[in-house]
Structure formats: C-alpha cells, structure tokens
Amino acid sequence: MEGLEAVRKRPGMYIGSTGPRGLHHLVYEVVDNSVDEALAGECTGIDVTLRADGGLTVVDNGRGIPIDKHPKLRKPTLEVVMTVLHAGGKFGGESYKVSGGLHGVGVSVVNALSTRVDVEVRRDGFTWSQRYELGKPVSQLTKGKATKTTGTTITFWPDADIFETVDFDYETLATHLRETAFLNRNLRITLIDERELEPRREDFKYAGGIIDFVKFLNQNRETVNSRVIYFEQTGVEGEVEVALQWNKSYSDNTMSFANNINTHEGGSHLDGFKNALTRTINDYARRQNILKEKDANLSGDDIREGLTAILSVKLRDPQFEGQTKTKLGNPEMRAFVQQAVTQALAEYLEEHPGPAKEIVKKASAAAKAREAARKAREMTRKTSLLENSTLPGKLADCSIKDAALAEIFFVEGDSAGGSAKQARDRTFQAILPLRGKILNVERAGTHRALSSLEIQAMITAMGTGVGEEYNVDKARYHKAIIMTDADVDGAHIRTLILTFFYRYMREALDAGYVYIAQPPLYKLTAGRKSSYAYSDNELQEQIKLLPEGAKYNIQRYKGLGEMNPKQLWETTMNPETRTLLRVDVEDVLLAEQAVTDLMGDQVEPRREFIQAHAKDVRFLDI
Ligand code: 0RA
C-alpha cells in the first residue's frame, strides 16, 4: 500500500497545488467527509473554526469514524482512515458520496500534509481521541468520557514546509461553505473565525436549497420571472435538481454540480440541460406563434442570456474528466437530465404563460442584438481589410512572432502609453494605449460593447475573437499586462478592463494570460543611492536599513507619467526586475459576485462592497 511519504513528496498530485488553493483544499477534504454523512442522512450540522493558533477544526454530528478493529489491518478503523491513502470511504455504502477529481482523496492526505492532527470521535457511548504528527500516530487511540452524542472532530495544523502560505482566507472558505450549504438543503454549516479579537461567525443553512442559491445570485438584479423555477427527478441513473431564473443582464450564469462538486468544465449533465432548454423554449415559442414560420430558431446563447441556473445531479459512480477533473463524463446523465428538464420545463411554460412569454421575449431580443452585433463585426472586419491591416493603429506591436514569448501592455492614457513605448523592449513587448475609462461592458449589451473603439482595439490586438468565436490558440500574446496608475482612477480602469476579460475572454483568464503590472509606490533616495518600494511595508523596511541618522527623501509616485522611460523599464516592465500579478478566476462565484456588485446597475451593493473593502485601499487621491 502506498505510504503517506508519497503525498509529502508530491503534494500537487493529491491536492492540485501547494498554493492557497491547495491549502483550502485540505479544509474541503475534511468537510466533504462530514457532508458525506449528511448525504447519508446521518449528519445535520458542521462547525468550521479558524483557530487563533493557526489550526482549523471541523466538528460534525455524524456517526463518527468507526473505532473498532479493522478486520484486515488489525488496528482501529480510525487509524486506517487517517493513515492509509483512499481508505476514507464508507466501505461499500449505498449512499452518494462527494468524490472524484481532486475531491475524495481522503483525510489521510490532510494528515500527511499537517504538522499535527487531533481527532476526537464520539461513538458507542464514549469519546475517543488520538493525535498524529506529520501523518504518523503519536498516541494510542484513547477512550475518554462517556457521551450520548455521536460525531467527529478533526483539528489540523497545515505544514508550513509544504505550503506557500498557511493563512486560511475567511472569504474563500465562506464562499465555498455557503455553496455547500445551498447544495445540501437544511444542512447547517457554521464558520467561526477566532483569529481576530472579536470572533466572527456566520451560519449557512438554506431551507430552499438551490432555489435559495439562485435567489442569492440574483439578489441584486432585476428578474424576468419573479419566482424561481424549480424541479427535481429521481431515476435509476441518480437524481437531478434544477433551479432557474432569468434576470435583465446579458450574461449566462449557469453553474453545474455533480455530487456537490462544481463541474467548472461542464460535461454530460450540462449538455443534456442545455439541449433541453434550447429545444423546449423554441418549441413553446413556435406553438405560441411568437416565433413565426419564417424566423430562425433561437440559439442556446440567446436563450441563456441573463439566465441564472443551478443544475445539481447526484449519481453513484461519477466519472470526472478534463484538465482540472471537473467535467462529468458519465454518458447516461445526458439523456437522463435532458428528459427530466424537457418534461418539467414544458409543463412550467404551459402552466405559467405570463413569465413564459417574458422569457421568450428576452431571448428574441438577444437574438436580434446578436444578429446586429454579427453584422457590426463583419463590418469591422471588412473595413479593416480595406485598410490592409487588421491591427489597431494605436498598437505599437512587437517584432517577435512567437506568441508564447510576446507580451502586450494595456496602458492607461496616451502619455503613459508614450513613455511605455520608449521604455519597452520592442522585440517582445507591444503597447496598446487606451483612452481613459473604457466602456463598462457589464452595463452594456453585446452590440454596444463590440461597437466601442477601445474594446475593438483590444480584441483585434489580442487576435482571439470574443465570446463563442473565441479561440485561445489564436492569442497573439501569452501575457496581457494591464498597466494603470496606482490611484483610484487607475484601479477603476483596471476593473473595467478585467470586467471585459471576464465577460468576453474568460478563457484568457483561465489560461493564465492576464496580468497586472505592479508599478512602485515610492522612490526612496538617501545620498546618491535610491531604491523603489512597492508597498508601505517595503518602504518602512528600506528606511530601517538606512544607516542611523541618515537623511532621506521619499517620492510618492501617483502615476506612471511621473517616471521617466528608464525608471518605468527598471521598475515595472523589465522581466528581470519587475513583479507581475497573475489574475486567475480562483473562485468563479466570488469573482462573479464581485463583478456584479461593482459593475452592475444597482448602487447599494457597490456601496456595501466599497465599505467592506475600504481598509484594503492604499491611497485615495480625491
Ligand atoms: C468510515 C465509515 C463510516 C463513517 C466514516 C468513515 C466517517 C468519516 C468522517 C470524517 C469526518 N467525519 C466523518 N464521519 C464519518 C460509517 C460509519 C457507520 O457505518 O456507522
């Protein structure tokens, strides 16, 4: 049997990475075991506590990990679960399990990657406990006080020698645990943060399950069908549950899950859902004569414009495929989901003619806008062909043709653009100056977004096309670097550009092609020597390093324009000396919510977001 040393040697194989994502994966791994108990109908509550000492505790009221002697290995089953890879499962159980992909690797992996783990089991009338270090038991399983309750408590301290950071992020955990609670109706999950003087605490429990999930996602949007559409079906293949509600925005916000795992890459269940949705709504539109004989069918994209949907399936033996193991493979799920959705949705439309007509109207409007946008795109293609150059005039391109080595800087303003052009290494660095505040695509339809000159320039420069025609292989640069001033306006412009990438080129974000340049905030000069500081902390550190009593001067850079080309090159553009922040959609849900709150058409959530994050803002140049 494979030892836990293998896990310590190659942690990435088991938890994906040793960055923040891998660290949080440990928490999900432990919680998933408790959720399995809930799926088996044996657990109603889970507490997750971030401890002041850096550890994390998960408590559940499930059956408790068995403590009797394992028939083959002649030690307590608890010890087998904690120390043997892939032994965590309920042996031959009948219930659905959270497993597959990177999930379900077992608590033994958490044990292997922790300096210490304390386990307490309440079972068979007593409390039982055992302690582990670096995956190995350092105490016997000990019988303690009598108890009438059952359940498991696992506390672990992640190993700082393995992880880049061992600092758990409250928001990341809250988002994931909230999602888990939505997917398991009535399961209570409590998150407690004891690291602050004033402990923080949130309860997640939803009597409406995924209906509440859809309401949550749409809370700040104007809806088309005011009541969330919901249906479920059970068959030999498993269970399917769907909740849907259209809103007046332009994006598709469909999320799919299989056994509680977010299937980011989709799969058979999502294919079945989309097919059913497209066909059923077209059938209805024709039967009602809203779509005339001469009209073309509404496309899937038209129908899903403004849709918020949760598709959740449960099945006994899920097969996860794809790059990140988040694509459901099981072929039987396609027909199963398609049949269930077709039947229930057709029934809904017949019984609710009011909302049904609104939904069809929204899709028809989307179809018209899409047709107009297609014509506009064709026009831009034709005009640019006439000019004999497809690239925007403002682009100062690089000479290298290998996209993997090429970089493009999106620079705020023509003057900073000029400095950047002088500063750059023209062999591999291209510059595209953007004029001020580009269009907020979150508040504009596809047609208006694609008619904006600045947006067209970004698209043609990138070379990939957008939306359904997007092709990441055509990217002309593998680094798209957003370079804006270190002030509020700069932050706003950066958000606008990121919103554009998020809505129109999400694959570029997923491929890791999008970066944020980090210009210095200060220049510290003492005598003839000067250095740059990229944060307040760094500035204080550098001041401390100066000789006692030395005189020094601090220059605060408000904009890129205050640096000369040589300084701009040294501090921000030279790959040898610069720092870049890679933007990735760590958590699509978090990003989605942030983009909606910040860029959507309602004021209140934007105010709340800004108030909640105001302390993170470094400068306010108002
Ligand atoms: C193996 C078998 C059974 C439950 C568990 C493991 C179990 C593991 C964890 C991890 C965290 N909380 C947990 N709760 C239960 C089934 C036990 C039975 O049949 O009584």
Side-chain angles (χ1 to χ4, degrees):
M1 220 165 283
E2 221 180 329
L4 292 186
E5 290 77 39
V7 181
R8 290 187 62 81
K9 257 193 208 121
R10 308 192 62 190
M13 288 255 300
Y14 299 87
I15 52 162
S17 82
T18 54
R21 192 173 217 153
L23 176 77
H24 292 93
H25 201 91
L26 298 185
V27 186
Y28 309 153
E29 199 54 57
V30 179
V31 171
D32 282 352
N33 282 282
S34 304
V35 173
D36 282 347
E37 285 291 285
L39 286 174
E42 304 283 354
C43 164
T44 58
I46 303 171
D47 291 334
V48 178
T49 305
L50 292 149
R51 298 163 52 104
D53 66 5
L56 187 141
T57 301
V58 178
V59 185
D60 71 46
N61 62 357
R63 287 166 291 186
I65 306 178
I67 33 80
D68 50 347
K69 282 254 165 5
H70 191 272
K72 289 206 190 87
L73 298 170
R74 285 182 295 144
K75 11 177 167 180
T77 303
L78 170 69
E79 203 172 311
V80 176
V81 168
M82 294 305 294
T83 58
V84 180
L85 269 178
H86 303 293
K90 320 283 145 72
F91 317 104
E94 275 302 288
S95 55
Y96 302 115
K97 270 194 341 172
V98 179
S99 67
L102 292 172
H103 289 263
V105 288
V107 254
S108 62
V109 168
V110 178
N111 196 14
L113 300 177
S114 298
T115 52
R116 171 178 162 193
V117 176
D118 291 347
V119 187
E120 185 193 279
V121 167
R122 296 166 295 284
R123 198 181 158 101
D124 303 337
F126 289 92
T127 301
W128 310 80
S129 58
Q130 192 172 26
R131 176 171 165 172
Y132 296 82
E133 283 173 11
L134 301 172
K136 299 196 177 72
V138 293
S139 76
Q140 294 285 325
L141 175 63
T142 312
K143 184 174 173 178
K145 282 198 203 126
T147 179
K148 289 202 177 82
T149 63
T150 63
T152 305
T153 300
I154 295 177
T155 302
F156 68 96
W157 287 262
D159 190 344
D161 290 342
I162 300 270
F163 292 97
E164 287 161 31
T165 167
V166 289
D167 197 7
F168 295 110
D169 180 55
Y170 184 90
E171 289 304 332
T172 304
L173 292 175
T175 303
H176 183 94
L177 296 176
R178 183 187 294 113
E179 184 175 301
T180 305
F182 279 132
L183 292 167
N184 297 278
R185 188 172 28 225
N186 282 324
L187 171 62
R188 176 193 55 80
I189 305 181
T190 302
L191 177 60
I192 303 149
D193 192 348
E194 293 180 344
R195 298 172 303 181
E196 308 275 325
L197 279 176
E198 191 102 336
R200 191 168 165 194
R201 180 193 168 99
E202 261 176 297
D203 272 308
F204 305 117
K205 181 171 187 256
Y206 303 102
I210 62 170
I211 297 177
D212 288 343
F213 200 167
V214 168
K215 284 185 190 163
F216 173 79
L217 293 170
N218 273 348
Q219 65 188 339
N220 296 323
R221 323 200 89 140
E222 218 181 309
T223 57
V224 174
N225 53 312
S226 53
R227 292 188 63 162
V228 176
I229 306 170
Y230 173 84
F231 41 85
E232 60 188 321
Q233 204 178 97
T234 306
V236 284
E237 298 90 345
E239 291 171 19
V240 56
E241 237 191 314
V242 178
L244 0 138
Q245 185 178 46
W246 276 264
N247 62 58
K248 298 199 171 160
S249 82
Y250 304 98
S251 47
D252 169 9
N253 195 7
T254 301
M255 297 170 79
S256 64
F257 298 84
N259 289 14
N260 286 340
I261 293 166
N262 191 330
T263 39
H264 293 283
E265 297 171 281
S268 53
H269 58 332
L270 185 61
D271 293 345
F273 169 77
K274 287 183 177 177
N275 284 342
L277 195 65
T278 308
R279 284 197 201 170
T280 310
I281 291 190
N282 270 299
D283 282 355
Y284 177 79
R286 292 224 182 265
R287 231 174 314 126
Q288 296 294 321
N289 213 23
I290 307 174
L291 211 55
K292 306 283 187 299
E293 220 163 307
K294 60 174 174 43
D295 292 335
N297 263 352
L298 301 164
S299 77
D301 285 321
D302 297 333
I303 288 167
R304 291 192 306 276
E305 192 178 285
L307 173 65
T308 297
I310 303 295
L311 164 66
S312 170
V313 300
K314 304 243 164 76
L315 63 168
R316 246 160 267 275
D317 185 22
Q319 304 296 319
F320 291 95
E321 305 167 349
Q323 280 211 317
T324 54
K325 294 265 177 278
T326 56
K327 181 175 182 182
L328 185 68
N330 305 57
E332 74 279 8
M333 288 318 266
R334 181 193 311 267
F336 172 61
V337 173
Q338 187 164 333
Q339 168 278 123
V341 174
T342 302
Q343 190 194 329
L345 189 62
E347 217 172 275
Y348 171 88
L349 296 171
E350 290 302 336
E351 287 169 9
H352 302 83
K357 296 211 165 88
E358 290 303 311
I359 292 165
V360 174
K361 254 205 270 172
K362 162 101 184 155
S364 307
K368 285 202 185 84
R370 207 174 294 273
E371 180 58 17
R374 191 184 60 75
K375 283 192 180 132
R377 271 204 303 272
E378 231 159 52
M379 283 294 288
T380 45
R381 254 185 236 133
K382 276 187 195 135
T383 34
S384 44
L385 274 178
L386 282 178
E387 286 160 13
N388 201 19
S389 144
T390 41
L391 292 173
K394 291 195 298 177
L395 175 75
D397 207 3
C398 57
S399 54
I400 208 163
K401 289 287 171 260
D402 183 353
L405 303 175
E407 307 181 340
I408 182 167
F409 286 82
F410 293 129
V411 186
E412 163 189 355
D414 287 335
S415 82
S419 298
K421 278 181 197 174
Q422 289 177 50
R424 69 177 175 146
D425 180 335
R426 60 174 62 236
T427 53
F428 68 97
Q429 293 180 319
I431 309 290
L432 183 68
L434 294 172
R435 186 156 300 156
K437 305 269 162 77
I438 68 158
L439 179 74
N440 177 1
V441 297
E442 184 70 12
R443 281 194 265 178
T446 320
H447 178 58
R448 205 153 77 80
L450 296 178
S451 313
S452 147
L453 291 177
E454 304 297 314
I455 302 240
Q456 283 181 5
M458 290 199 284
I459 297 168
T460 36
M462 287 300 285
T464 54
V466 281
E468 47 200 302
E469 292 177 0
Y470 184 87
N471 182 353
V472 77
D473 300 330
K474 286 196 178 157
R476 301 179 62 247
Y477 316 90
H478 285 192
K479 284 201 175 74
I481 304 167
I482 303 166
M483 188 158 78
T484 58
D485 289 343
D487 61 8
V488 178
D489 279 340
H492 185 195
I493 292 164
R494 184 166 63 234
T495 312
L496 291 169
I497 299 176
L498 285 172
T499 305
F500 162 72
F501 272 106
Y502 186 73
R503 289 292 178 218
Y504 286 86
M505 294 193 179
R506 192 170 310 177
E507 291 90 339
L509 285 170
D510 291 336
Y513 287 176
V514 183
Y515 296 81
I516 296 170
Q518 300 288 289
L521 300 180
Y522 302 103
K523 182 179 182 183
L524 177 66
T525 311
R528 264 177 297 162
K529 282 207 180 133
S530 51
S531 57
Y532 301 102
Y534 294 82
S535 68
D536 290 282
N537 269 345
E538 212 179 319
L539 178 68
Q540 295 311 323
E541 290 301 314
Q542 291 180 6
I543 292 173
K544 271 192 220 141
L545 290 177
L546 294 174
E548 274 283 319
K551 283 209 168 67
Y552 59 86
N553 172 52
I554 299 170
Q555 183 189 355
R556 172 143 93 66
Y557 290 123
K558 290 209 205 75
L560 300 165
E562 293 177 20
M563 276 180 274
N564 63 39
K566 183 166 170 284
Q567 289 172 326
L568 190 58
W569 165 253
E570 274 174 13
T571 59
T572 316
M573 295 177 73
N574 180 357
E576 305 281 322
T577 48
R578 74 185 178 196
T579 312
L580 293 181
L581 274 188
R582 172 139 88 201
V583 183
D584 64 309
V585 186
E586 260 288 352
D587 192 325
V588 177
L589 186 60
L590 203 61
E592 177 79 35
Q593 205 60 41
V595 168
T596 306
D597 287 355
L598 272 175
M599 311 307 282
D601 48 14
Q602 302 213 7
V603 177
E604 193 50 32
R606 182 158 42 246
R607 196 209 321 277
E608 280 167 18
F609 185 96
I610 290 168
Q611 280 169 353
H613 293 82
K615 64 175 174 21
D616 305 333
V617 176
R618 280 179 295 200
F619 304 119
L620 275 173
D621 284 345
I622 300 175

